[in-house]
Amino acid sequence: DIQMTQSPSSVSASVGDRVTITCRASQGISSWLAWYQQKPGKAPKLLIYSASSLESGVPSRFSGSGSGTDFTLTISSLQPEDFATYYCQQANRFPFTFGPGTKVDIK
Amino acid sequence: QVQLQESGPGLLKPSQTLSLTCTVSGGSISSGAYYWSWIRQHPGKGLEWIGYIYYSGNTHYNPSLKSRVTISVDTSNKQFSLRLSSVTAADTAVYYCARTYTGSYSSVFDNWGLGTLVTVSS
């Protein structure tokens, strides 16, 4: 299986801050990477696919980059509704696997 | 907008078989662009893809669960189902069904059900 790691595991930030989350794959996955946001008690929500493509309806303050093994999710100006846990997911090889998550909470 | 809804028992005893159904509304389950997945999340933990099915019945399972998992589809009722046999406490989790879009550099879960908690306890 392709192992996904994320850093940091948690980050405390303020409204308006720029937040960057890193995801690393245990082997190259080209651009087969997605990012999800999950709030407590809710299902995950797709934010980014193909490493850098913004899902329809997702605010433009979210952006993704990277290819191969190293990827980033950036929130350019954190909003109150962005406090959540973020997961990366690879779809290059079966089984699809997720990172362990990065929790973004209020400083 | 497509909506997915999981249904099934929330409490099982060890060794029983977990059976869940996902009902799709607001869209076609037979759309060629999509597969239909089951994903689970252990309490306070990350996400684990269980497997998916195409409307034709083709399936792909996570090897870690393959010996115990069956996913089936009923296109006439716009439903797909999960069966997980010989459950243990380690199968206690929130189970989600999700629509899976497969395209260029993407196999992503773009619509999710609300999730249903399944607890395995004697």
Side-chain angles (χ1 to χ4, degrees):
Chain A
D1 296 4
I2 296 177
Q3 306 302 317
M4 308 299 292
T5 57
Q6 289 182 232
S7 61
S9 58
S10 65
V11 56
S12 294
S14 300
V15 172
D17 284 353
R18 181 182 183 90
V19 173
T20 299
I21 299 168
T22 297
C23 175
R24 176 165 290 175
S26 61
Q27 59 184 270
I29 59 171
S30 185
S31 296
W32 292 82
L33 186 100
W35 290 96
Y36 300 84
Q37 176 194 68
Q38 186 178 33
K39 297 181 179 179
K42 302 294 187 182
K45 173 187 174 183
L46 176 65
L47 300 176
I48 302 282
Y49 62 94
S50 303
S52 60
S53 296
L54 195 66
E55 172 72 348
S56 176
V58 174
S60 59
R61 63 182 179 271
F62 290 93
S63 64
S65 65
S67 68
T69 59
D70 296 315
F71 302 86
T72 60
L73 172 71
T74 299
I75 309 171
S76 61
S77 178
L78 198 65
Q79 297 302 299
E81 60 268 30
D82 301 336
F83 292 96
T85 300
Y86 294 84
Y87 295 93
C88 60
Q89 173 241 325
Q90 69 81 20
N92 185 67
R93 292 185 184 274
F94 292 111
F96 302 146
T97 49
F98 293 85
T102 295
K103 184 176 182 180
V104 178
D105 59 21
I106 302 172
K107 181 182 287 184
Chain B
Q1 174 76 334
V2 67
Q3 293 185 315
L4 295 86
Q5 177 66 60
E6 304 90 350
S7 59
L11 180 62
L12 293 172
K13 296 183 185 303
S15 80
Q16 290 185 325
T17 295
L18 178 158
S19 292
L20 297 175
T21 295
C22 183
T23 302
V24 179
S25 59
S28 173
I29 200 170
S30 302
S31 170
Y34 301 106
Y35 289 73
W36 304 91
S37 286
W38 288 97
I39 296 160
R40 69 181 182 178
Q41 186 168 34
H42 294 101
K45 302 294 185 182
L47 298 155
E48 179 181 28
W49 178 73
I50 298 169
Y52 70 20
I53 191 164
Y54 197 54
Y55 75 93
S56 63
N58 289 344
T59 56
H60 203 107
Y61 301 137
N62 191 321
S64 68
L65 296 167
K66 187 175 183 178
S67 64
R68 298 193 291 131
V69 169
T70 303
I71 299 176
S72 58
V73 65
D74 177 355
T75 55
S76 59
N77 287 311
K78 298 176 66 174
Q79 295 177 328
F80 62 106
S81 299
L82 170 70
R83 287 175 59 85
L84 180 66
S85 64
S86 305
V87 298
T88 70
D91 295 307
T92 293
V94 174
Y95 287 76
Y96 294 100
C97 58
R99 189 178 75 170
T100 310
Y101 173 77
T102 298
S104 177
Y105 293 109
S106 64
S107 282
V108 294
F109 311 108
D110 66 350
N111 271 279
W112 297 64
L114 297 177
T116 187
L117 175 62
V118 177
T119 301
V120 181
S121 175
S122 55

